[in-house]
Every structure is written in structure tokens, then in C-alpha cells.
Amino acid sequence: MIDKIRMAELTSQEARENLTDDAVVLLPMGSLEDQGIHAPMGDYMAADRMALEIAKAARERGVPTFVAPVIPFGGRDYFDSSHGGISISHATLAGIIDDMFASLTRHGIRKIMIVNGHGGNVPAITEVALRWRHKAGLFVPSMYLWQIAYGELPGLVGAEHAAKASGHGGDPLTSLGLHFYPDLLRPDLVRPAPEGATINGVEIAGFSAIAYDGAKIQAPIEAREATETGAFGCDPTLCSAETGEKLAARLVEIGAGFVADHVARGLHD
């Protein structure tokens, strides 16, 4: 098996020899948005790094796994208000994913898994994956990293700690950042998320919700209206490189295991 893992680093001859119908290709995706005033905006960097680590671990299990170039721009949502952020429309993102599937399958590459790091990408991923399943029998799973991470954190750091540290601008992304690229974070800017934001006299209960009589009601608000620091409902001061290391190891274990046990064998109806 060739040492190169990133598809972009393969020569065309190496691509012909290695990107066969036995190969698994991971498609990392993320966003460029406010992740908290202390953290780099590009969460796609964490998704790309996780895809690389999953590919390495899958190779140790004998699976020829490669990582496609990351899609750095997320599907447009309430984070479109992030200063300096870049997002793309749902239709544009779906078109990019659709074209990537078409390019890979043209050359017989059908063992594909998406490694996603942005909730705003989920609708486009779902739309395109279903379309290709219906028209070509292609079955592409998507590993939404942060959704999985929220479920894993209580077992790694304790339920009470996880409840306080988890949230946008906190865990899992801040701890993963401290683990993968600590030099890019600003410890001097880390502080608990602000509370008590309101809009039109109603309490803001999330990036797309307001609270009334104990219930959450969807509302067209923007992230910057919910928090001035980019963090919401969490305490980023509780995040750590140690937590990031534990979480990264667990995500790799899940991802590489799924690749070896299912994706590499060819998922189909």
C-alpha cells in the first residue's frame, strides 16, 4: 500500500494504481465561521485532521484508505453572521457533493464515507446521499463528528463536566483544537459563554430558537444575536488538550472500525 494518504498528493499514475474499487475514500467537510473568539474559525481543519487520523487507523487494519481534499465552506445557516466567515448556499454545497460523487464513481470508486464537521452541511449531505442511493445504488454514510462527540464526552470526562464544557465554542471543538493545533488558539480570550440574550423581549434559547413557557420555538435569529463571544451554553475554560486527545482517539476508533467493518466491504441494499 502506498504511503501517501491524501489524494491531492498522489501522482496521476499513483492514482490509477491505488484508487481502485478496493479503496475507501473519506470526504472531509467543515465550515469557516465563528467558533468562539478564542478559537480559529476554520473547523474544517479539525474535520480534515480527523479524516486523516481515521484513514491512518483504517490502514493499520489493512484497508487502503485515502482522504479527499476538504470542503472548507459550510452550508449557510445562522452562522452566516460571522464576521469574516464564508458560507455557501445549500444548493451550491449539494452541487459540490454531487459532483464529487460523480467524479469518484466514474472511475469505479464507490466505497465512500463523509467526515462532517458542520451541522449546516447535514441537509445537503442527506439530499445528495439519498439521490445517489436511488439512482445508482451508492450507499454513502456520513460521520457527523460533533454529534458523535457530544454523546461520547460524558463517558470520557464525566457527565457533569461534559454538560458544563459542551456547546458551541466549547467542547468538543475547543478541546480538539488544543490537542491538534494549540498554537492557533487564544487562551487569553477564553471565558464562559455569556447568558441572558433576548430578542424582541423574548429569551434566546439557542442559535435558532427562543424560549416561551418552558418550550423552545424555532426563530429566524442569527448567531451573533445569541452570543457576543461565539460561545453559547458552555464554559470553554473547562476544555483541555487532554480531553481533546481522549476524544480524538475515540472518534478514530469509531471511524476506523466502521470503515473496516462496513465501508470497506461495500455498503449496499
Side-chain angles (χ1 to χ4, degrees), residues 96-165:
I96 292 172
I97 301 170
D98 189 83
D99 286 346
M100 293 180 78
F101 284 9
S103 296
L104 293 172
T105 57
R106 176 183 178 181
H107 301 290
I109 302 168
R110 297 177 60 87
K111 297 174 180 178
I112 304 167
M113 184 173 82
I114 293 172
V115 180
N116 178 37
H118 177 53
N121 295 339
V122 172
I125 292 170
T126 301
E127 175 187 323
V128 178
L130 282 171
R131 181 189 307 152
W132 275 85
R133 183 184 180 192
H134 294 157
K135 79 173 185 178
L138 188 69
F139 197 100
V140 179
S142 176
M143 185 177 179
Y144 181 14
L145 294 168
W146 316 147
Q147 183 180 65
I148 296 172
Y150 284 132
E152 294 295 323
L153 279 166
L156 296 174
V157 300
E160 183 177 354
H161 183 97
K164 294 178 180 179

Side-chain angles (χ1 to χ4, degrees), residues 80-97:
D80 198 39
S81 61
S82 299
H83 186 86
I86 299 176
S87 60
I88 54 181
S89 70
H90 173 95
T92 298
L93 182 59
I96 292 172
I97 301 170

